[in-house]
Amino acid sequence: MRTYLITLVGLLFVLFSYAAAYDPLDPNGNITIKWDVMSWTPDGYVAVVTMNNFQMYRHIMSPGWTLGWTWAKKEVIWTMIGAQATEQGDCSKFKGNIPHCCKKTPTVVDMLPGVPYNQQFTNCCKGGVLASWGQDPQSSVSAFQVSVGQAGTTNKTVKLPKNFTLLGPGPGYTCSPAKIVPPTKFFTADLRRKTQALMTWNVTCTYSQFVAQKHPKCCVSLSTFYNETITSCPSCACGCENKHKCIKSDSKLLSMVGVNTPRKDNAPLLQCTQHMCPVRIHWHVKLNYKEYWRVKITLTNFNYRVNYTQWTLVAQHPNLNNVTQVFSFDYKPLVPYQSISKFFEILHQYKS
Ligand SMILES: *[C@@H]1O[C@H](CO)[C@@H](O)[C@H](O)[C@H]1NC(C)=O
Ligand SMILES: *[C@@H]1O[C@H](CO)[C@@H](O)[C@H](O)[C@H]1NC(C)=O
Ligand SMILES: *[C@@H]1O[C@H](CO)[C@@H](O)[C@H](O)[C@H]1NC(C)=O
Ligand SMILES: *[C@@H]1O[C@H](CO)[C@@H](O)[C@H](O)[C@H]1NC(C)=O
Ligand SMILES: *[C@@H]1O[C@H](CO)[C@@H](O)[C@H](O)[C@H]1NC(C)=O
Ligand SMILES: *[C@@H]1O[C@H](CO)[C@@H](O)[C@H](O)[C@H]1NC(C)=O
Ligand SMILES: *[C@@H]1O[C@H](CO)[C@@H](O)[C@H](O)[C@H]1NC(C)=O
């Protein structure tokens, strides 16, 4: 179990609300998936697929994104560079050259770092991990190349893939239909010439907490220096349906090999608590002067199957327009709306 400490110095008074549900804090946040057709082939096309995480603070953590779609016709994937389809499907109709994937609904994942050079592609091979736009725009991109066969071979005959799904990891994203957009323009390496894609389409995926899960994934407890009473997280704050599956912190099971291995379905292995949340945020008011206040924030991970190696805490508070000092962590104000009170974001990458 790891405990993180964050100390803030701000102004007076405490009122805290955690960004749960749909995101008023990042109303324009989305993940865009762009297909640039770079060349036509005798039976289809070669496209570069680029995923941009335009969300201010929601990153995609390990084990990374999974992208799916449904082909409009009988398309197949001849080859893929920088990513791979998880299943080949039934390619028995093919002789000689066998496609990489013949499934009507391919499911694609990123490659892991360190794959051989000839399987790499710019911005690939990060195990599907995508930083948020607010955290690190340069690491918020993922890309791969796909060569599609049995497809249209002109911009009039090509059919756009349908029904895009993005898991990041776990549910939460809903994707729009693909839409033809003006072709992307690319600069040549010497920046003296521009080329352009033969055809481009975009898909936009947005996140919703309600789609992701019924219950929140964290809760907030409060305390102050002047009163011994701790206001704990509400009972069953994150739902008690799985209470029978939780594990006591002194359980012998914890020393078993593989107990920390993440599951494919992301099912958590929670320590038994009355709130049953994977994460608890404790907000402790340390000082409260006329000129400023200071709080210590403690984040505790109760999920034995996840190490939150890269995380972001978003908090909204009327006084946080003037946070003057943050110790131990990076922070950044997020100010998309003038009308709602200001908030801040703590960005952090810890090394274990
Ligand atoms: C996606 O996010 C970007 C960056 O915030 C924004 O400019 C764009 O309008 C959004 N797209 C959609 C379809 O919401
Ligand atoms: C398509 O997606 C790219 C990012 O991948 C974005 O820069 C571009 O603005 C999008 N185009 C439209 C018309 O939404
Ligand atoms: C298809 O290509 C023609 C030129 O070859 C171009 O005029 C037209 O705008 C393109 N259509 C689309 C949907 O990209
Ligand atoms: C879209 O994909 C989802 C999940 O893979 C599937 O349940 C649904 O039936 C698909 N819809 C269509 C129209 O293919
Ligand atoms: C501490 O807080 C509790 C709960 O709000 C309250 O009942 C109690 O009177 C407080 N004690 C002091 C010394 O302020
Ligand atoms: C998290 O880190 C600890 C200590 O480094 C390690 O023992 C554990 O297996 C890791 N768990 C996961 C889910 O990666
Ligand atoms: C922020 O706080 C500093 C001193 O702590 C003060 O001088 C400044 O006026 C404040 N700014 C705003 C916008 O409140």
Side-chain angles (χ1 to χ4, degrees):
M1 187 78 15
R2 286 203 167 71
T3 302
Y4 309 98
L5 303 175
I6 305 167
T7 308
L8 299 175
V9 181
L11 289 173
L12 204 68
F13 219 54
V14 175
L15 227 168
F16 181 79
S17 92
Y18 189 73
Y22 155 78
D23 236 333
L25 304 187
D26 189 14
N28 297 316
N30 62 48
I31 295 185
T32 308
I33 301 157
K34 180 172 63 112
W35 288 53
D36 288 310
V37 175
M38 305 307 285
S39 61
W40 302 110
T41 59
D43 75 335
Y45 58 88
V46 175
V48 172
V49 181
T50 311
M51 239 189 245
N52 277 91
N53 184 3
F54 288 125
Q55 301 180 104
M56 282 312 284
Y57 60 84
R58 205 177 290 283
H59 56 89
I60 292 194
M61 65 178 190
S62 184
W65 54 258
T66 302
L67 180 64
W69 63 82
T70 307
W71 289 119
K73 294 191 291 188
K74 299 216 174 318
E75 291 88 339
V76 294
I77 298 173
W78 281 117
T79 57
M80 215 171 221
I81 307 177
Q84 61 186 357
T86 56
E87 279 183 68
Q88 184 176 34
D90 179 6
C91 294
S92 59
K93 282 202 297 259
F94 290 84
K95 295 197 179 78
N97 237 354
I98 307 289
H100 173 77
C101 174
C102 299
K103 283 187 73 101
K104 175 92 176 163
T105 54
T107 299
V108 173
V109 294
D110 196 8
M111 308 288 269
L112 296 174
V115 296
Y117 190 71
N118 63 359
Q119 291 171 32
Q120 289 184 20
F121 195 75
T122 315
N123 289 320
C124 85
C125 313
K126 297 185 276 198
V129 172
L130 274 183
S132 64
W133 182 253
Q135 199 170 17
D136 182 3
Q138 280 176 348
S139 306
S140 68
V141 191
S142 200
F144 59 89
Q145 192 191 67
V146 61
S147 171
V148 183
Q150 302 192 6
T153 54
T154 68
N155 71 3
K156 302 247 158 38
T157 54
V158 73
K159 290 276 187 300
L160 310 191
K162 294 188 164 104
N163 200 14
F164 277 88
T165 53
L166 177 65
L167 300 178
Y173 290 93
T174 312
C175 298
S176 73
K179 189 174 147 230
I180 295 173
V181 298
T184 309
K185 297 200 158 85
F186 303 95
F187 275 108
T188 53
D190 63 4
L191 303 180
R192 284 158 62 87
R193 187 180 128 78
K194 263 189 200 171
T195 58
Q196 68 179 59
L198 302 176
M199 187 179 182
T200 299
W201 59 82
N202 268 15
V203 174
T204 305
C205 305
T206 49
Y207 187 84
S208 159
Q209 193 82 29
F210 299 115
V211 174
Q213 69 263 316
K214 204 159 76 193
H215 299 295
K217 277 195 181 150
C218 64
C219 60
V220 180
S221 55
L222 301 158
S223 61
T224 63
F225 64 92
Y226 54 82
N227 190 319
E228 282 180 359
T229 309
I230 295 174
T231 305
S232 18
C233 283
S235 257
C236 302
C238 300
C240 276
E241 290 92 337
N242 293 320
K243 189 132 200 169
H244 60 283
K245 290 189 201 151
C246 71
I247 187 165
K248 300 219 167 62
S249 56
D250 58 358
S251 168
K252 284 203 180 69
L253 280 174
L254 287 174
S255 53
M256 272 169 57
V257 177
V259 74
N260 298 116
T261 311
R263 290 255 302 258
K264 222 173 174 180
D265 62 358
N266 280 307
L269 180 62
L270 295 183
Q271 183 181 319
C272 298
T273 53
Q274 46 85 30
H275 52 75
M276 288 293 287
C277 289
V279 174
R280 182 186 61 203
I281 298 157
H282 186 74
W283 179 276
H284 176 72
V285 180
K286 287 181 78 172
L287 292 172
N288 195 355
Y289 294 126
K290 221 174 183 152
E291 300 77 34
Y292 70 94
W293 48 259
R294 180 185 287 217
V295 299
K296 183 169 91 177
I297 304 173
T298 309
L299 278 74
T300 312
N301 175 11
F302 293 101
N303 182 358
Y304 290 109
R305 289 209 185 107
V306 178
N307 280 338
Y308 291 92
T309 47
Q310 236 193 358
W311 53 266
T312 304
L313 172 71
V314 183
Q316 188 179 359
H317 187 287
N319 289 149
L320 291 175
N321 55 344
N322 205 354
V323 171
T324 54
Q325 245 182 317
V326 174
F327 301 100
S328 315
F329 293 86
D330 294 333
Y331 104 94
K332 185 168 168 171
L334 267 178
V335 196
Y337 274 157
Q338 291 306 330
S339 57
I340 62 173
S341 50
K342 310 287 171 29
F343 27 83
F344 74 103
E345 183 183 10
I346 292 168
L347 304 166
H348 165 68
Q349 196 165 3
Y350 93 91
K351 308 208 168 37
S352 55

